Amino acid sequence: MTVHHPQTPQFFLTSPSACPYLPGRAERKVFTHLVGDRAPGLLDLLSQGGFRRSQNIAYRPACERCRACVSVRILVDEFEPARSMRRILSKNSDLVARMAAPSPTSEQYSLFRRYIDHRHATGGMAEMSVLDYAMMVEDSQVDTRLIEYRVKGPDSRFTQSSDGELLAVALSDVMADGMSMVYSFFEPSQDQRSLGTFMILDHIERTKKLGLNYLYLGYWVEGSKKMAYKIRFQPQEHLTPKGWERYSG
């Protein structure tokens, strides 16, 4: 008879469902719950094995015949922005970023809905209500931060009350060896700003300032247009059967 210690995490396997990245394929995930005082340490350990967090769940792909999803992390101390990335930083020099505890607002949800309706109207998050959004933000047992990106007001250096329009939001975890971008969204009418890239660049700098080594970007899927942007941030490591290895593609 197998006896489970009460502090030992139990893992579960989902039923097959349509793959959101590669047409005609099915996906399965293995997952466990992140609860209690041990949740931060468990997330640190599982992240080394390619797990991601969603609310109080840690998960990773466990597809039977496919290994297309590859965990990616940026080596922040070695990162140097390309010329195109420096232009994006310049375009967004009129923004101010505020990092705080994860607290949902109606303004965030309105931006979230515009983003989802414009970019992912047929995706799994299309039906998320304001309550679902609040749970996504607040339901965390680890060190989670919410970063708002707003147009600078005349007194943004001194007071948040003068900050202008909300253009982007990132929900991120701080772990023992790095930051992990859990979910981010932005104003879809501001394509010229490349806000998705800008938030990753901002997170690279935040990770450096925290004295941490890696920025975890989740999964890269070769052949998926949705994931192609992640390869632009070099140098980076990919999780392989031999462990984390520098990617040189």
Side-chain angles (χ1 to χ4, degrees):
M1 181 177 69
T2 301
V3 178
H4 292 284
H5 189 277
Q7 295 297 316
T8 301
Q10 297 185 46
F11 292 86
F12 307 90
L13 189 64
T14 65
S15 299
S17 60
C19 176
Y21 306 118
L22 298 176
R25 301 196 191 183
E27 70 165 357
R28 300 187 79 177
K29 295 174 183 172
V30 60
F31 68 94
T32 189
H33 296 277
L34 298 168
V35 294
D37 295 338
R38 297 180 70 249
L42 181 58
L43 180 63
D44 289 341
L45 179 63
L46 292 177
S47 294
Q48 291 296 319
F51 279 74
R52 296 284 289 164
R53 184 184 72 81
S54 177
Q55 295 179 234
N56 65 352
I57 297 291
Y59 69 92
R60 76 172 183 186
C63 305
E64 294 178 3
R65 298 182 180 86
C66 180
R67 296 294 181 269
C69 291
V70 178
S71 295
V72 174
R73 65 186 188 186
I74 301 170
L75 300 163
V76 299
D77 286 335
E78 299 181 45
F79 176 81
E80 292 292 340
R83 181 180 300 177
S84 61
M85 294 177 180
R86 292 196 295 270
R87 288 197 294 267
I88 290 170
L89 289 170
S90 178
K91 284 182 181 179
N92 291 285
S93 60
D94 62 333
L95 300 186
V96 60
R98 307 284 189 188
M99 184 164 71
S103 180
T105 66
S106 58
E107 184 183 24
Q108 292 167 18
Y109 180 70
S110 294
L111 176 60
F112 172 79
R113 281 264 43 110
R114 291 196 298 276
Y115 173 81
I116 291 294
D117 292 344
H118 186 268
R119 295 229 168 185
H120 304 287
T122 60
M125 304 178 81
E127 302 301 322
M128 284 181 64
S129 67
V130 64
L131 180 58
D132 295 328
Y133 173 77
M135 290 290 290
M136 180 179 76
V137 172
E138 293 181 320
D139 193 3
S140 172
Q141 299 281 316
V142 300
D143 185 2
T144 300
R145 316 286 177 88
L146 188 140
I147 307 170
E148 291 188 340
Y149 299 84
R150 295 180 178 273
V151 177
K152 289 179 182 177
D155 299 314
S156 286
R157 290 178 57 192
F158 309 104
T159 174
Q160 295 186 34
S161 62
S162 67
D163 293 347
E165 181 184 1
L166 179 66
L167 292 187
V169 174
L171 189 68
S172 304
D173 292 337
V174 179
M175 303 185 300
D177 65 350
M179 291 189 74
S180 174
M181 296 186 71
V182 176
Y183 193 74
S184 60
F185 53 94
F186 51 85
E187 176 55 58
S189 65
Q190 297 281 332
D191 280 345
Q192 76 282 0
R193 287 182 175 270
S194 300
L195 288 164
T197 296
F198 174 70
M199 283 190 282
I200 294 176
L201 295 172
D202 178 68
H203 274 72
I204 290 172
E205 289 304 310
R206 290 178 183 277
T207 304
K208 287 182 183 179
K209 289 178 181 177
L210 288 171
L212 303 173
N213 296 324
Y214 307 110
L215 176 62
Y216 289 82
L217 290 184
Y219 302 115
W220 170 68
V221 179
E222 187 172 9
S224 170
K225 292 182 178 180
K226 294 180 181 179
M227 297 296 184
Y229 70 92
K230 296 183 181 182
I231 294 300
R232 298 173 55 213
F233 298 88
Q234 301 282 345
Q236 61 182 235
E237 291 181 340
H238 290 188
L239 184 59
T240 75
K242 298 179 180 179
W244 289 96
E245 295 184 332
R246 187 178 288 248
Y247 175 75
S248 57

